[in-house]
């Protein structure tokens, strides 16, 4: 739970524009941290426990027989549960603003008055 919130905070709080022209070129180490956090977060959200098992695997057959008797809470994806529990409007706005800032960076960097004053995220 804490790992998911930490990675969301790192990604949503990153401002690739900088406060003044040409200051976006100074935060190269922060960009590497955001890139790594985004990769880990997306990998964790995309991960499926049962996707790598083959249908004829012994562990799959044993697990499927015990799965019916186990509670459904043990099969749920914890990162998806954390994202589903974010219901506060202010939290959703922070995540939305952070993601739109990251996705709109290429357009913003191309439409500046000073040449090369904003770095595009690679």
């Amino acid at each position: 739970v804490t790992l998911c919130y930490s990675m969301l905070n790192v990604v949503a709080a990153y401002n690739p524009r900088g406060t003044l022209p040409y200051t976006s070129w100074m935060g190269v180490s922060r960009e590497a941290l955001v890139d790594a956090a985004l990769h880990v977060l997306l990998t964790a959200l995309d991960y499926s426990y049962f996707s790598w098992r083959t249908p004829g695997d012994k562990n799959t057959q044993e697990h499927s027989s015990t799965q019916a008797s186990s509670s459904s809470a043990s099969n749920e994806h914890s990162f998806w549960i954390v994202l589903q529990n974010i219901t506060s409007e202010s939290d959703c706005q922070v995540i939305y603003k952070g993601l739109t800032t990251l996705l709109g960076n290429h357009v913003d960097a191309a439409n500046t008055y000073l040449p090369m004053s904003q770095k595009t995220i690679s």
Side-chain angles (χ1 to χ4, degrees):
V1 174
T2 305
L3 180 66
C4 184
Y5 283 129
S6 296
M7 288 187 290
L8 272 174
N9 187 29
V10 167
V11 171
Y14 179 61
N15 185 6
R17 294 183 206 149
T19 54
L20 296 172
Y22 301 104
T23 57
S24 62
W25 294 94
M26 297 179 195
V28 176
S29 63
R30 178 86 174 156
E31 184 178 336
L33 174 67
V34 171
D35 185 43
L38 192 58
H39 276 92
V40 171
L41 183 64
L42 292 177
T43 303
L45 289 172
D46 192 40
Y47 177 74
S48 175
Y49 176 73
F50 298 106
S51 66
W52 59 273
R53 293 181 178 242
T54 59
D57 192 10
K58 287 182 182 179
N59 293 334
T60 305
Q61 293 171 354
E62 292 172 5
H63 187 69
S64 64
S65 64
T66 59
Q67 183 179 3
S69 63
S70 66
S71 66
S72 64
S74 65
N75 296 332
E76 294 176 353
H77 196 287
S78 61
F79 280 87
W80 283 109
I81 294 171
V82 167
L83 289 178
Q84 288 173 351
N85 290 334
I86 297 175
T87 55
S88 170
E89 186 175 337
S90 62
D91 292 341
C92 291
Q93 285 178 351
V94 167
I95 293 170
Y96 178 76
K97 183 179 177 185
L99 291 178
T100 54
T101 301
L102 288 177
L103 293 175
N105 174 262
H106 187 70
V107 174
D108 292 340
N111 296 325
T112 58
Y113 292 113
L114 299 172
M116 301 295 291
S117 63
Q118 280 189 10
K119 180 180 175 184
T120 58
I121 299 173
S122 53

